[in-house]
Amino acid sequence: MSTITAGPAESTLAAADFDTLSGGLTEPDVIAAARAAAWARFTSLPWPTKKSEEWRYTDLTKVGFEALTPVVPAPATAETLSADVREVLGRSGERAGVVVLREGRVAHLELEPEVARSGVVLSSIRDAADRHPEVLRRALLEAQPGPAEEKLWALHLALLGGGYFLYVPRGVEMPAPIHAFHIVERAGTLSSAHSFVYGESGARAAVIDEFFSDDLDAETVSLHGATITGEGGAGIDYVALQRFGRGVKRFSTQHVVAGRDSRVVTFNVALGGDLSRADVTSRLDGPGSDSEMLALWFGDSDQHFDHHTLQHHAAPHAHSDLLFKGALTDAGSSVFRGLIRVDKGAQLTDAYQTNRNLLLSERSHASALPNLEIEADDVRCSHGATIGQVEDGQLFYLMSRGLTRRQAERLLVFGFFDEVLGRLPMEGVRARVREAIEEKIGL
């Protein structure tokens, strides 16, 4: 264990040093080492600019990172569930466990006793470091983000305030999802948390990470990382539902590793916040592995959504399928940049990438940049993207039956998203996502 003496209780990022960011907390060595290395890396790297192709459409210079107050790490607490969390849980169906994080710190954690008896572990990252140090070490220290995400990934690890660890043993099938709530309440802060999901061979697990806040009156940044690993024959479903209020900017980095014959499904939903950036990487590491990458977003006002994806085929006989859909109105904007990368030895790869964008106003704007990078010669890969306005004929038909234009547009958006929603494997999670979309678009 490593103990670091705290500096001032409150400091902006520009004035902070590593002692300040550590808050005087005694941390497991694996976490302390990862955070120290990340802080050194963060301070040595320049901020990405629009001169970088990966950041050409999202201007980080407009985000006031250095003026924000970092939320330093703190031990997990055991608060009771708030009324708003209980309300969501009451509408979401069965669950195997619940995690609540406030500004990245674990405030509540519970696992159903029957699930715990099967050997499943749900704990804070701090507690997991004692029981599964090598798993955390690989995820924290050996992850190699691309140049586009390296600066923010380093900041995420350096500020790591907390997070949870889900471990599902060999052959165990969880009966219901884990539901985690990431709540941001303090304006002007910079917080960071991480979700670890690890399934051994033949394990089955589902997780929904839900991010929300009220509208905040000062710029606030939430950093989040997710590491999702499925060993041989495992099946993992992971959903990230982002519905922050205005004033919040979110940056997310997800790393998926799919082992032999495993199947990992990720579904990213972006509805809230001023700015939302998600870097989603799926590495197919074993023959027979399967990755399904799904996402949808709906932007209004001047919201901006940025998605960068990588389907990395490192093993032969693997399959990946990506479907990302976005709808925009008012002055909303979005960016999709996707890459299918097939290594030289990854023969018989089967990979698909599709991005579709629906524009509901003349001021809305979408950019789509799908790409292929193939070094093997026996593969089947395809990619494509579309950007189009809503059809006047469809609007006219709905409005002729008594709907206003706004109502008709919202109904078309829901129909546009239905293809993606229908591919969610869990009915309870699917219902929760549908409900969140209905709240956002006003159905």
Side-chain angles (χ1 to χ4, degrees):
M1 307 288 272
S2 298
T3 304
I4 304 174
T5 304
E10 294 287 340
S11 174
T12 63
L13 183 64
D17 56 22
F18 186 65
D19 287 353
T20 303
L21 298 178
S22 298
L25 185 67
T26 300
E27 297 182 298
D29 291 341
V30 62
I31 297 177
R35 295 204 318 108
W39 178 249
R41 186 62 180 150
F42 168 74
T43 55
S44 71
L45 289 170
W47 285 104
T49 69
K50 295 185 72 174
K51 293 181 180 180
S52 166
E53 186 65 23
E54 292 84 356
W55 290 95
R56 180 156 46 118
Y57 300 95
T58 301
D59 190 355
L60 270 184
T61 64
K62 294 183 177 180
V63 183
F65 286 98
E66 295 187 347
L68 299 174
T69 300
V71 178
V72 299
T77 58
E79 68 176 40
T80 58
L81 294 177
S82 61
D84 52 353
V85 169
R86 289 199 304 271
E87 181 184 358
V88 172
L89 290 173
R91 302 194 305 265
S92 300
E94 288 187 298
R95 60 192 179 276
V98 178
V99 185
V100 177
L101 302 99
R102 298 190 183 277
E103 272 80 32
R105 299 163 167 172
V106 175
H108 179 93
L109 189 147
E110 64 180 68
L111 182 67
E112 291 296 319
E114 182 179 348
V115 178
R117 284 193 291 270
S118 70
V120 172
V121 174
L122 178 65
S123 70
S124 68
I125 290 176
R126 175 184 168 83
D127 291 341
D130 295 327
R131 301 181 62 175
H132 301 280
E134 287 308 311
V135 174
L136 289 185
R137 191 184 311 278
R138 290 197 301 270
L140 291 174
L141 294 176
E142 297 179 14
Q144 296 181 349
E149 57 184 324
E150 189 174 7
K151 178 77 171 180
L152 286 175
W153 174 256
L155 181 59
H156 157 63
L157 291 185
L159 294 180
L160 194 59
Y164 67 86
F165 178 78
L166 173 65
Y167 177 85
V168 187
R170 181 185 302 268
V172 172
E173 183 170 348
M174 294 183 61
I178 299 294
H179 202 143
F181 296 87
H182 301 255
I183 303 170
V184 172
E185 297 170 308
R186 294 169 53 197
T189 58
L190 172 61
S191 59
S192 180
H194 202 99
S195 304
F196 288 94
V197 182
Y198 189 90
E200 287 193 336
S201 298
R204 296 289 184 273
V207 174
I208 178 168
D209 270 336
E210 189 161 350
F211 304 81
F212 65 94
S213 73
D214 293 329
D215 292 339
L216 300 179
D217 59 7
E219 183 178 51
T220 305
V221 171
S222 170
L223 304 174
H224 180 253
T227 305
I228 303 131
T229 301
E231 298 291 357
I236 298 175
D237 301 323
Y238 175 80
V239 176
L241 173 55
Q242 187 272 103
R243 54 188 190 95
F244 280 130
R246 300 311 303 266
V248 180
K249 295 178 172 65
R250 176 180 183 253
F251 298 89
S252 170
T253 305
Q254 296 175 17
H255 293 290
V256 170
V257 179
R260 176 185 290 269
D261 296 324
S262 66
R263 174 173 168 78
V264 180
V265 179
T266 58
F267 194 144
N268 284 274
V269 181
L271 303 174
D274 294 342
L275 165 64
S276 183
R277 161 90 177 209
D279 289 273
V280 186
T281 298
S282 184
R283 179 181 173 89
L284 293 104
D285 246 5
S289 54
D290 188 357
S291 170
E292 189 166 11
M293 303 167 72
L294 307 171
L296 60 83
W297 57 91
F298 180 79
D300 55 17
S301 185
D302 58 351
Q303 289 181 294
H304 180 69
F305 299 112
D306 188 346
H307 292 84
H308 281 230
T309 68
L310 172 61
Q311 296 155 259
H312 185 182
H313 285 257
H317 299 276
H319 170 265
S320 68
D321 190 1
L322 178 148
L323 177 60
F324 277 40
K325 283 192 167 188
L328 302 166
T329 190
D330 301 329
S333 60
S334 70
V335 182
F336 169 80
R337 178 185 296 276
L339 174 63
I340 296 175
R341 176 181 296 155
V342 182
D343 290 350
K344 188 174 182 179
Q347 303 292 355
L348 299 175
T349 284
D350 193 18
Y352 305 89
Q353 181 189 99
T354 304
N355 169 233
R356 304 200 187 284
N357 300 276
L358 181 65
L359 304 181
L360 303 173
S361 70
E362 293 183 356
R363 293 185 298 149
S364 58
H365 177 77
S367 299
L369 302 101
N371 292 280
L372 300 174
E373 186 180 292
I374 300 174
E375 296 185 3
D377 56 14
D378 187 5
V379 303
R380 182 168 57 182
C381 297
S382 69
H383 69 307
T386 61
I387 301 171
Q389 297 279 344
V390 65
E391 295 183 14
D392 289 338
Q394 293 175 320
L395 284 174
F396 176 79
Y397 175 82
L398 294 171
M399 292 170 67
S400 69
R401 275 138 181 86
L403 297 181
T404 66
R405 182 182 180 89
R406 191 81 166 176
Q407 290 170 331
E409 286 179 344
R410 295 311 197 259
L411 195 59
L412 289 174
V413 167
F414 208 86
F416 175 70
F417 286 152
D418 202 55
E419 178 187 7
V420 189
L421 290 170
R423 290 170 63 172
L424 260 178
M426 300 165 291
E427 179 54 42
V429 175
R430 191 184 309 134
R432 175 64 194 135
V433 173
R434 285 182 186 275
E435 179 184 55
I437 295 170
E438 288 173 357
E439 291 175 1
K440 165 73 175 185
I441 68 178
L443 285 179

